[in-house]
């Protein structure tokens, strides 16, 4: 355990900084502008680079080597947040400029977070023995859940107690810490991690395009995979609206404060951890299909009920319920797709699936920017997303009911 501490710290700092920024940007933008539309626009801009990075990160790790890419990703995120902190020292009077600056910041950090995440996943099997690998993955899963609990609250507290500049500079320090721990880790230094020296970029480019093509063709031909993706898209569209709009809605619709959105994120993380613990016990008594169905039903109930929540605590419970339901469905989805995707196209297909799963995240932010400029419009947008989710789920579950394990 002691020898793993430095690399666990790297993962913790990397995820903590990224998650704090994801939750903090909608709060920060609303705090600076007082506009829910600006929060939605920043959220939309933030997600586009993340989507681009998802299918490319594996190839980038192959080209540059995972250790080199990990260190580069950390130092770039440090420099970007440091620059943004200094920009905040100057007066920003334009709402669109604020949304653009912090949308680009979140997107750039998110792009390199995906690169760092895949680099770390590539490093893990080389850092420990095969015997210790399950232990490492268990610890990493626990750290990821922990950051989901800590990061939203950290973002909210920093924005309540300190200035926006201090919040951004604190994140900069977190990314610098990740870089220092990864660069000084003896495990990472001693492992042969960047052994790709002579790269034929033409061949690599051809192979990458071939893998992407294989993944796209497989996904498009598989009705069951498309059904799984359709539910995920509808879920993430709804989650994106709630994530990007909650800071403004808490203040304008519920009379709370925008910073309390961080508390909602922490509540969602805690409930997600509880779900992570109870799912194995649930599956001992009930089927995997029932877990997926439960996730879909619970998600719809929570989502359609959000516009009717007229106090912070009920809204918070429904908000956390969305993420619990998403966790139930995700376990079902990941298990089913393993049985549906052949091993020879698994990696290329997963990259395309991840891209499609989250492709509506920026669209949800754009929808909020265009149609969700007030608390009433936010409620109507949530109702529309709930109806869309119901329609998509009914057709998709009908197709998936024929899948056998």
């Amino acid at each position: 355990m002691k020898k793993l501490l430095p690399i666990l710290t790297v993962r913790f700092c990397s995820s903590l900084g990224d998650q704090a920024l994801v939750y903090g940007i909608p709060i920060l933008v609303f705090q600076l502008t007082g506009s829910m539309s600006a929060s939605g626009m920043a959220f939309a801009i933030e997600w586009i680079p993340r989507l681009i990075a998802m299918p490319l990160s594996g190839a980038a790790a192959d080209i540059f080597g995972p250790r080199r890419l990990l260190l580069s990703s950390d130092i770039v995120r440090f420099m970007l947040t440091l620059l943004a902190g200094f920009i905040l020292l100057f007066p920003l009077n334009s709402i669109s400029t604020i949304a653009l600056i912090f949308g680009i910041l979140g997107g750039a950090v998110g792009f390199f977070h995906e690169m760092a995440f895949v680099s770390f996943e590539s490093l893990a099997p080389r850092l420990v023995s095969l015997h210790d690998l399950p232990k490492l993955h268990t610890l990493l899963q626990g750290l990821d859940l922990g950051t989901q609990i800590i990061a939203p609250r950290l973002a909210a507290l920093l924005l309540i107690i300190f200035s926006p500049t201090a919040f951004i500079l604190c994140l900069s320090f977190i990314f610098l810490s990740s870089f220092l721990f990864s660069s000084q880790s003896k495990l990472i230094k001693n492992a042969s991690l960047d052994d790709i020296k002579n790269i034929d970029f033409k061949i690599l480019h051809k192979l990458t395009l071939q893998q992407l093509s294989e993944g796209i063709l497989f996904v498009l031909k598989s009705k069951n995979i498309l059904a799984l993706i359709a539910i995920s898209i509808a879920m993430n569209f709804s989650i994106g609206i709630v994530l990007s709009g909650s800071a403004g809605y808490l203040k304008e619709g519920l009379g709370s404060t925008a910073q309390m959105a961080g508390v909602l994120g922490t509540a969602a993380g805690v409930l997600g951890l509880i779900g992570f613990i109870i799912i194995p016990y649930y599956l001992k008594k009930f089927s995997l299909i029932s877990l997926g169905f439960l996730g879909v039903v619970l998600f719809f109930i929570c989502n359609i009920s959000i516009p009717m929540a007229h106090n912070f605590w009920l809204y918070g419970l429904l908000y956390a319920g969305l993420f619990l339901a998403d966790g139930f469905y995700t376990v079902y989805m990941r298990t089913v797709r393993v049985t549906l995707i052949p091993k020879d196209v698994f990696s290329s297909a997963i990259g395309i699936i991840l891209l499609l799963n989250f492709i509506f995240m920026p669209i949800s932010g754009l929808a909020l920017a265009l149609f969700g400029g007030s608390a009433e419009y936010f409620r109507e947008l949530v109702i529309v997303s709930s109806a869309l989710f119901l329609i998509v789920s009914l057709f998709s579950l009908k197709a998936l009911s024929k899948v056998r394990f």
Side-chain angles (χ1 to χ4, degrees):
M1 175 64 184
K2 187 176 180 180
K3 69 176 182 179
L4 294 178
L5 190 58
I7 59 173
L8 292 175
T9 305
V10 170
R11 177 63 164 261
F12 177 75
C13 290
S14 180
S15 296
L16 181 65
D18 180 71
Q19 288 293 308
L21 196 66
V22 167
Y23 283 95
I25 279 182
I27 301 173
L28 176 60
V29 172
F30 184 80
Q31 186 174 307
L32 292 173
T33 65
S35 169
M36 292 177 67
S37 293
S39 294
M41 182 56 68
F43 187 84
I45 297 170
E46 175 186 359
W47 265 92
I48 293 172
R50 288 178 182 270
L51 292 175
I52 295 172
M54 286 176 182
L56 298 179
S57 51
D62 288 337
I63 293 172
F64 300 106
R67 179 178 182 271
R68 191 178 297 117
L69 186 60
L70 176 65
L71 293 172
S72 300
S73 298
D74 283 339
I75 201 66
V76 170
R77 287 185 291 174
F78 161 68
M79 293 170 64
L80 287 170
T81 45
L82 185 65
L83 176 62
F86 281 114
I87 289 175
L88 274 173
L89 295 175
F90 300 93
L92 299 172
N93 299 319
S94 170
I95 290 176
S96 58
T97 299
I98 293 171
L100 185 63
I101 288 174
F102 289 101
I104 292 173
L105 171 67
V109 170
F111 180 91
F112 286 101
H113 172 73
E114 297 298 330
M115 296 292 170
F117 182 84
V118 171
S119 298
F120 200 95
E121 291 297 303
S122 300
L123 292 179
R126 310 186 202 184
L127 297 175
V128 297
S129 65
L130 189 62
H131 178 267
D132 289 332
L133 193 57
K135 177 183 177 182
L136 177 59
H137 281 301
T138 302
L139 291 171
L140 293 176
Q141 179 67 19
L143 280 179
D144 289 343
L145 287 170
T147 55
Q148 290 176 25
I149 295 171
I150 297 170
R153 187 59 178 159
L154 174 66
L157 284 174
L158 288 172
L159 287 168
I160 291 172
I161 299 172
F162 303 107
S163 66
T165 302
F167 165 68
I168 295 296
L169 292 179
C170 181
L171 298 187
S172 184
F173 172 77
I174 291 173
F175 291 130
L176 178 61
S177 300
S178 179
F179 169 78
L180 293 175
F181 276 105
S182 57
S183 62
Q184 296 302 314
S185 168
K186 291 182 179 179
L187 270 179
I188 294 177
K189 278 185 175 180
N190 294 337
S192 177
L193 303 173
D194 292 335
D195 49 5
I196 303 174
K197 296 178 181 179
N198 298 315
I199 304 170
D200 190 326
F201 286 96
K202 289 184 179 180
I203 294 176
L204 187 60
H205 179 260
K206 183 179 179 180
L207 290 174
T208 301
L209 289 179
Q210 181 181 336
Q211 287 182 339
L212 290 174
S213 299
E214 288 176 354
I216 292 170
L217 288 174
F218 173 79
V219 169
L220 292 178
K221 289 179 181 178
S222 176
K223 293 182 179 179
N224 290 324
I225 291 292
L226 289 175
L228 290 172
I229 292 171
I231 295 176
S232 291
I233 287 175
M235 270 188 171
N236 287 325
F237 178 64
S238 296
I239 288 174
I241 291 169
V242 174
L243 267 177
S244 57
S246 285
Y249 183 70
L250 287 179
K251 185 173 181 179
E252 294 186 6
L254 300 180
S256 183
T257 63
Q259 290 82 2
M260 290 299 286
V263 176
L264 297 181
T266 297
V270 171
L271 206 56
L273 179 60
I274 294 172
F276 176 73
I277 294 171
I278 67 174
I279 284 174
Y281 297 98
Y282 177 93
L283 292 176
K284 287 181 180 179
K285 295 186 177 182
F286 304 100
S287 68
L288 180 67
I289 294 175
S290 72
L291 179 66
F293 184 77
L294 174 64
V296 169
V297 171
L298 178 61
F299 190 92
F300 175 73
I301 291 172
C302 291
N303 204 34
I304 196 66
S305 301
I306 279 178
M308 295 176 277
H310 294 295
N311 66 75
F312 172 80
W313 298 110
L314 180 56
Y315 183 88
L317 179 63
L318 295 171
Y319 179 100
L322 286 179
F323 289 87
L324 177 65
D326 178 67
F328 289 162
Y329 175 74
T330 298
V331 171
Y332 163 76
M333 174 190 65
R334 286 180 173 175
T335 306
V336 170
R337 73 188 184 194
V338 167
T339 66
L340 296 175
I341 305 174
K343 290 183 179 180
D344 58 328
V345 296
F346 190 85
S347 297
S348 54
I350 286 296
I352 302 302
I353 290 170
L354 285 175
L355 174 64
L356 294 175
N357 281 350
F358 292 99
I359 200 166
F360 264 50
M361 278 295 202
I363 296 175
S364 64
L366 183 60
L368 184 69
L370 295 176
F371 308 111
S374 68
E376 187 57 38
Y377 283 133
F378 174 79
R379 293 190 190 101
E380 292 175 1
L381 202 54
V382 172
I383 292 172
V384 170
S385 71
S386 300
L388 176 65
F389 175 76
L390 178 62
I391 294 169
V392 169
S393 297
L394 288 175
F395 282 101
S396 299
L397 288 174
K398 183 179 179 180
L400 290 167
S401 65
K402 300 175 183 179
V403 176
R404 295 291 178 263
F405 301 96

